[in-house]
């Protein structure tokens, strides 16, 4: 590799400044780099051309980051892209200044620039990091990677696999990423879904396993808008965590498991298929199913089945919110194709749907099609929020709250597991509750990223 100008500067800096400085200060400069780069990779099968992607560390998915729970994570983001960018650490209950939202918690880092991220990871679990400037373009170009926070007292499994599920909209002739990111058709419908589905950057990923082997699978949906309905074949599985947060009791996987954009599911699976056979993580399609991941079985890990797995150790601050006296909030989502939104506010003025569409806005939250200067709600630490989400559109939306996890409140008042992203079906109303415990300005948006860009973004302020 030829040294870049930055390497040269760094070397010069080390040579010039390092000498004579107290050791602590010198060590403070040693922050690992995470560079966003343009790279050409063989994403499609070998007979196709290479694809130009944008990747962290030049790989697809981005380089895995793994830390222990409660540890400090530091990365110097280096922007080697032709576009400004920033990194969001999705699902981490993070210090607000490190949340990586361009235009809200920091300025986007210009091409050639750097930004030092430095934060503590309070919760163990499966998280991910991704670009948060023009994310509907940058994430589609490949800017995302797994962020794994390991618990002390790992579960008793033979091994684990991190599986990043994604899709790509590629031109099959040229092999290049379709760059119609702002196409009204994608923005106003279900979002940008690809024509090439991958796991860890591979179509039809195949992994060798042994019969009766026990694996932990960390599933991450890193796609722009695809909902992955999945089921197990030749495997018996239990859900042990959702969006990073452990379930109190492992839940057997009985039917289809739905993974919305940005959601994660941790599974513990036992290989039941016989030697010489295959087991599959099956992608359930409208017309036909296909194998998302193929597990080829050879050898035997043990002669007998094991007992069902036990729960993962709980994370701190998983207490149930106290709904008595909770602050009620309401978010009505409207717009989209086949919707009934006739007008909404843009640039502070009411505009007809046609004008909004011409300005690239197809959706609104509470009648507003833009991110406003004033938050959806001004909240105080310790407050409990009960938020009703009314989906008055025909499309599903994956609503993500930054900085805090929430629980779904079902109609009978029962509280669901902690999550950071909830998939709300077309014309559905759901209710979530959370205890306000993290100060700062937190984005709340649809993780169908084209939707977020065309009206479905708001925020809350916690003081
Ligand atoms: Cu994973 Cu605001 O995003
Ligand atoms: Cu949406």
């Amino acid at each position: 590799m030829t040294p870049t100008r930055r390497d040269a500067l760094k070397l010069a800096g080390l040579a010039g400044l390092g000498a004579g400085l107290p050791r602590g200060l010198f060590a403070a400069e040693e922050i690992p780099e995470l560079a966003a780069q343009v790279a050409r990779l063989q994403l499609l099968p070998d007979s196709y051309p290479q694809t130009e992607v944008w990747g962290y560390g030049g790989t697809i998915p981005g380089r895995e980051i793994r830390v222990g729970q409660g540890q400090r994570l530091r990365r110097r983001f280096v922007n080697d892209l032709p576009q400004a960018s920033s990194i969001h650490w999705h699902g981490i209950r993070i210090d607000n200044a490190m949340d990586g939202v361009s235009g809200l918690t920091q300025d986007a880092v210009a091409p050639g620039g750097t930004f030092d991220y430095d934060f503590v990871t309070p919760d163990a679990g499966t998280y991910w990091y991704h670009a948060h400037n023009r994310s509907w373009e940058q994430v589609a170009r490949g800017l995302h990677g797994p962020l794994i926070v390991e618990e002390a007292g790992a579960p008793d499994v033979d091994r684990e696999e991190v599986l990043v599920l994604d899709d790509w909209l590629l031109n099959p002739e040229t092999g290049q990423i379709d760059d119609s990111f702002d196409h009204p058709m994608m923005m106003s419908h279900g979002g940008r879904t690809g024509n090439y589905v991958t796991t860890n950057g591979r179509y039809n990923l195949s992994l060798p396993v042994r019969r009766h082997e026990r694996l932990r699978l960390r599933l991450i949906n890193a796609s722009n808008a695809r909902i992955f309905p999945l089921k197990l074949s030749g495997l018996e599985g239990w859900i042990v965590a959702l969006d990073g947060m452990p379930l109190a009791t492992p839940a057997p996987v009985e039917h289809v498991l739905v993974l919305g954009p940005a959601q994660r599911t941790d599974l513990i699976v036992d290989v039941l298929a016989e030697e010489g056979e295959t087991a599959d993580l099956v992608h359930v399609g409208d017309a036909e199913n296909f194998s998302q991941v193929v597990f080829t079985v050879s050898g035997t890990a043990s002669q007998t089945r094991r007992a069902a797995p036990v729960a993962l150790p709980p994370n701190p601050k998983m207490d149930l919110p106290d709904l008595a006296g909770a602050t009620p909030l309401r978010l009505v989502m409207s717009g989209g194709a086949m919707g009934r939104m006739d007008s909404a506010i843009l640039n502070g003025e009411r505009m007809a749907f046609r004008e909004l569409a011409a300005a690239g806005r197809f959706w609104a939250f509470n009648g507003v099609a833009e991110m406003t200067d004033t938050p959806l709600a001004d909240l105080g630490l310790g407050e409990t929020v009960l938020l009703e989400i009314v989906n008055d559109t025909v499309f599903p939306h994956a609503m993500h709250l930054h900085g805090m996890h929430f629980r779904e409140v079902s109609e009978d008042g029962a509280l669901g597991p902690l999550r950071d992203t909830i998939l709300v079906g077309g014309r559905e109303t759901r209710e979530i509750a959370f205890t306000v415990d993290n100060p700062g300005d937190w984005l709340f948006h649809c993780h169908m990223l084209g939707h977020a860009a065309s009206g479905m973004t708001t925020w809350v302020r916690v003081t």
Side-chain angles (χ1 to χ4, degrees):
M1 231 176 75
T2 46
T4 61
R5 194 161 55 95
R6 198 180 57 250
D7 291 333
L9 285 175
K10 195 169 63 188
L11 287 172
L14 287 179
L17 295 173
L21 279 181
R23 221 187 130 62
L25 255 182
F26 184 65
E29 293 304 312
E30 293 295 301
I31 169 164
E33 289 191 349
L34 183 62
Q37 297 163 331
V38 180
R40 289 185 75 84
L41 300 173
Q42 195 63 49
L43 187 59
L44 283 164
D46 286 342
S47 53
Y48 289 84
Q50 288 194 326
T51 305
E52 183 178 292
V53 299
W54 294 1
Y56 293 109
T59 67
I60 296 298
R63 203 188 283 167
E64 177 182 295
I65 298 177
R66 198 173 268 267
V67 283
Q69 183 172 13
Q71 277 179 10
R72 181 175 172 197
L73 174 57
R74 302 170 73 213
R75 284 294 181 278
R76 173 160 300 160
F77 168 52
V78 178
N79 187 358
D80 286 335
L81 303 171
Q83 227 177 56
S85 194
S86 63
I87 305 181
H88 170 55
W89 312 90
H90 185 116
I92 302 290
R93 302 202 258 197
I94 204 167
D95 171 8
N96 191 247
M98 294 291 128
D99 201 36
V101 179
S102 291
L104 184 68
T105 65
Q106 69 170 91
D107 291 333
V109 179
T114 67
F115 186 93
D116 289 353
Y117 291 99
D118 184 349
F119 54 93
V120 169
T121 50
D123 303 304
T126 302
Y127 302 93
W128 63 302
Y129 64 95
H130 63 79
H132 217 302
N133 188 46
R134 286 189 60 81
S135 52
W136 68 100
E137 168 177 356
Q138 297 191 355
V139 173
R141 288 189 185 275
L143 288 172
H144 57 75
L147 169 53
I148 308 301
V149 183
E150 291 184 332
E151 53 276 288
D156 178 23
V157 295
D158 295 316
R159 66 173 220 263
E160 73 166 57
E161 294 286 346
V162 178
L163 301 172
V164 180
L165 279 45
D166 198 2
D167 68 350
W168 305 80
L169 190 56
L170 300 175
N171 177 324
E173 307 283 301
T174 63
Q176 300 312 305
I177 294 174
D178 180 304
D179 64 3
S180 58
F181 301 105
D182 299 283
H183 200 287
M185 185 71 177
M186 307 221 184
M187 294 256 178
S188 63
H189 288 71
R192 179 185 168 102
T193 45
N195 52 6
Y196 189 61
V197 176
T198 58
T199 309
N200 298 347
R202 303 285 302 268
Y203 173 71
N204 224 328
L205 177 72
S206 165
L207 297 171
V209 292
R210 291 169 298 156
R211 179 163 154 80
H212 288 158
E213 191 171 20
R214 174 164 282 185
L215 291 89
R216 177 186 196 162
L217 304 180
R218 298 178 180 266
L219 309 182
I220 303 171
N221 182 348
S223 74
N224 271 46
R226 178 178 293 262
I227 297 167
F228 284 86
L230 302 165
K231 65 177 195 184
L232 303 176
S233 159
L235 300 168
E236 179 173 35
W238 294 265
I239 300 171
V240 290
L242 293 169
D243 295 348
M245 296 294 171
L247 298 190
T249 327
V253 180
E254 270 147 5
H255 307 289
V256 174
L257 189 125
V258 177
L259 199 64
Q263 291 186 322
R264 285 91 61 214
T265 297
D266 281 42
L267 298 175
I268 288 183
V269 299
D270 288 345
V271 178
L272 300 190
E274 304 281 342
E275 278 189 62
E277 292 184 346
T278 61
D280 298 90
L281 179 65
V282 179
H283 185 303
V284 181
D286 292 336
E288 52 176 352
N289 298 346
F290 63 92
S291 183
Q292 180 79 34
V293 181
V294 185
F295 300 91
T296 52
V297 188
S298 69
T300 302
S302 80
Q303 289 312 315
T304 50
R305 300 283 317 279
R306 300 190 211 188
V310 297
L312 298 175
N315 279 326
K317 296 206 287 186
M318 290 188 71
D319 314 340
L320 297 177
D322 179 8
L323 299 186
T327 309
L329 290 179
R330 195 161 190 257
L331 185 84
V332 181
M333 311 193 253
S334 57
M338 300 163 282
R340 44 191 178 207
M341 177 170 92
D342 348 290
S343 71
I345 306 293
L346 180 61
N347 302 323
E349 283 171 45
R350 180 157 296 280
M351 289 191 189
F353 188 75
R354 206 166 2 91
E355 294 172 87
L356 293 167
R361 301 300 167 116
F362 302 96
W363 310 91
F365 282 163
N366 294 345
V368 181
E370 63 192 330
M371 173 89 176
T372 49
D373 293 340
T374 47
L376 171 73
D378 228 311
L379 305 168
L381 281 178
E383 201 171 332
T384 302
V385 171
L386 191 56
L387 169 59
E388 187 183 33
I389 305 173
V390 181
N391 182 358
D392 189 20
T393 83
V394 299
F395 295 95
H397 300 287
M399 290 301 299
H400 169 49
L401 177 64
H402 285 219
M404 292 170 282
H405 275 58
F406 52 78
R407 291 177 191 270
E408 180 165 4
V409 187
S410 56
E411 266 166 55
D412 61 2
L415 290 163
L418 276 176
R419 300 215 71 145
D420 62 41
T421 305
I422 180 175
L423 194 57
V424 185
R427 300 268 188 247
E428 232 179 44
T429 294
R430 310 278 283 273
E431 206 169 22
I432 61 170
F434 59 97
T435 308
V436 177
D437 60 7
N438 201 355
D441 293 344
W442 302 110
L443 220 54
F444 184 44
H445 65 92
C446 178
H447 224 288
M448 271 87 173
L449 297 170
H451 294 175
S454 56
M456 295 197 134
T457 302
T458 186
W459 58 293
V460 296
R461 169 163 284 165
V462 177
T463 43

